[in-house]
Amino acid sequence: MPTGPARPPIAFIGSLSADEEQAWLDALRRAMPQERLLPAAAIADNHEVELALVANPDPAVVRRFDRLKWMQSLWAGVERLVAEPAFDELPLVRMVDPELARTMAEAVLAWTLYLHRDMPAYLAQQRAAQWLQLPYVPPSRRRVGLLGLGVLGVAAARRLGDAGFPVLGWSRTPKRLGDLGSVTTFSGSEGLMAMVSRTDILVCLLPLTDQTRHLVDEALLQAMPAHACLINFGRGPVVNLPDLVAALSARRLKHAVLDVFDEEPLPAASPLWRHPHLTLLPHISADTDPASASLIVARNVRRWRESGQIPQPVVDRQRGY
Ligand SMILES: NC(=O)c1ccc[n+]([C@@H]2O[C@H](COP(=O)([O-])OP(=O)(O)OC[C@H]3O[C@@H](n4cnc5c(N)ncnc54)[C@H](OP(=O)(O)O)[C@@H]3O)[C@@H](O)[C@H]2O)c1
């Protein structure tokens, strides 16, 4: 069989441990054996590389590849690359993986049930050897509000609706009900306050942008019903932490579950670890699965090779996500 000129390599650029990087390289090479995929440091000629697969990369390393045509992010969140003006003209394709959406929807349901069934209170009671039955509230009387109705928000809305919770959802642009079934939808700043004032458990699935930074602040928390709860699975800086801690300490807010933080890992000295009304998770609500994500990447690369078209969804730099 005639062999054409070797394809230029695809660069893998990530800030991962050696084991994590190897697992990704193995999965990606299995998914697209015809491609030459190399870690950035192993590429002899950076100028021949047209595509980089990136996982929270150091922007300085990406800059060394000055002939890139596009980048494929292996993560759903892309705020670090969006913040780099040097990449303004370079299409950045976001990871959209149904398996990631399923995992996140599962996490949203799990931690919603944790709050709904008063597990933090029962844990505190157990530690105090206290036998006390709290009143049961059926899911039909526990309203769950979602900040963000994107790929992850819609998957979570479905799962919560199936579990019997009335679901409300807020997004930047208005959503039609059709695809979202029974979800009550809101948009814009007036829609935000209208939604949170009817929300018992607020779940944040927003990207971090200039507009969403510190969106969950004192005014928003004040607008929620007394003893409401918060789950943040989006990005840490979307929540104003001093405002959240003040609301929890004053018992206006009952409990919060945080999976994402301004600084990760959260330093051991942080007082958040010891707050009695906080449950902290080490950014585990929905990890990208290398096996399923590699198949998505391989499909995108194949389509680009065949058509020259950059795959979707390309991040909109103006919107920031
Ligand atoms: N903790 C974890 O393990 C983990 C894992 C994966 C992802 N994440 C985070 O989850 C985020 C969401 O992922 P996704 O795939 O669902 O993103 P997506 O499909 O882009 O959806 C983003 C949603 O947020 C809404 N939104 C953005 N800016 C807004 C604003 N200023 N006001 C109101 N709504 C706004 C969008 O509104 P429109 O619909 O109007 O555009 C959209 O509904 C990611 O960016 C990432 O930060 C976390």
Side-chain angles (χ1 to χ4, degrees):
M1 197 197 278
T3 52
R7 281 175 175 171
I10 296 174
F12 182 94
I13 313 175
S15 316
L16 305 173
S17 70
D19 285 352
E20 283 172 326
E21 176 163 316
Q22 196 54 55
W24 270 104
L25 287 169
D26 291 347
L28 287 160
R29 285 173 179 148
R30 263 196 304 278
M32 41 185 193
Q34 70 286 11
E35 298 289 345
R36 257 194 320 143
L37 177 66
L38 294 172
I43 293 177
D45 180 3
N46 291 353
H47 306 300
E48 63 170 349
V49 175
E50 294 177 332
L51 165 62
L53 310 184
V54 296
N56 197 19
D58 177 349
V61 178
V62 180
R63 272 197 295 271
R64 295 209 292 264
F65 294 85
D66 58 356
R67 302 264 169 87
L68 288 179
K69 294 208 162 115
W70 60 292
M71 288 187 284
Q72 166 76 62
S73 175
L74 301 177
W75 293 173
V78 288
E79 64 280 354
R80 215 171 140 197
L81 288 169
V82 170
E84 271 295 311
F87 306 140
D88 272 358
E89 303 301 320
L90 187 59
L92 170 61
V93 176
R94 220 164 61 82
M95 173 55 63
V96 177
D97 179 357
E99 178 55 18
L100 179 76
R102 190 205 60 74
T103 312
M104 181 58 93
E106 178 187 86
V108 169
L109 179 61
W111 297 101
T112 298
L113 288 170
Y114 166 83
L115 296 168
H116 168 63
R117 292 304 305 259
D118 288 316
M119 293 193 214
Y122 284 119
L123 185 61
Q125 289 183 194
Q126 181 181 341
R127 291 202 172 124
Q130 186 184 21
W131 181 278
L132 176 64
Q133 293 169 345
L134 302 171
Y136 173 72
V137 176
S140 58
R141 287 205 278 121
R142 191 87 75 183
R143 301 156 298 179
V144 184
L146 294 165
L147 295 174
L149 279 178
V151 177
L152 303 184
V154 167
R158 289 219 173 85
R159 202 80 198 258
L160 291 164
D162 288 349
F165 295 100
V167 183
L168 304 87
W170 181 71
S171 50
R172 194 177 54 86
T173 53
K175 297 271 170 265
R176 277 198 233 102
L177 283 175
D179 189 40
L180 294 172
S182 58
V183 181
T184 310
T185 56
F186 301 81
S187 61
S189 47
E190 47 326 316
L192 176 62
M193 289 305 169
M195 184 182 88
V196 299
S197 66
R198 298 162 213 193
T199 290
D200 300 307
I201 299 177
L202 183 66
V203 183
C204 176
L205 288 173
L206 286 169
L208 177 61
T209 67
D210 291 344
Q211 284 69 42
T212 64
R213 185 178 299 274
H214 285 186
L215 182 109
V216 178
D217 62 1
E218 188 188 355
L220 182 146
L221 295 169
Q222 285 277 10
M224 294 182 71
H227 312 304
C229 294
L230 172 75
I231 298 175
N232 187 10
F233 286 168
R235 283 291 181 263
V238 174
V239 174
N240 180 319
L241 270 184
D243 288 2
L244 173 66
V245 169
L248 288 168
S249 300
R251 307 303 294 125
R252 281 202 317 279
L253 203 67
K254 194 158 144 201
H255 199 89
V257 178
L258 304 179
D259 182 49
V260 283
F261 301 88
D262 295 19
E263 185 186 354
E264 295 181 10
L266 182 67
S270 169
L272 296 181
W273 288 111
R274 282 164 288 283
H275 198 293
H277 306 303
L278 272 176
T279 296
L280 306 186
L281 303 170
H283 202 139
I284 48 77
S285 51
D287 227 359
T288 315
D289 171 34
S292 65
S294 292
L295 296 177
I296 310 275
V297 174
R299 190 191 59 197
N300 284 350
V301 171
R302 191 174 59 247
R303 286 188 184 158
W304 170 62
R305 294 276 188 218
E306 286 167 4
S307 70
Q309 302 285 317
I310 307 296
Q312 295 297 320
V314 172
V315 172
D316 180 330
R317 306 259 173 191
Q318 293 301 317
R319 301 188 316 193
Y321 67 98

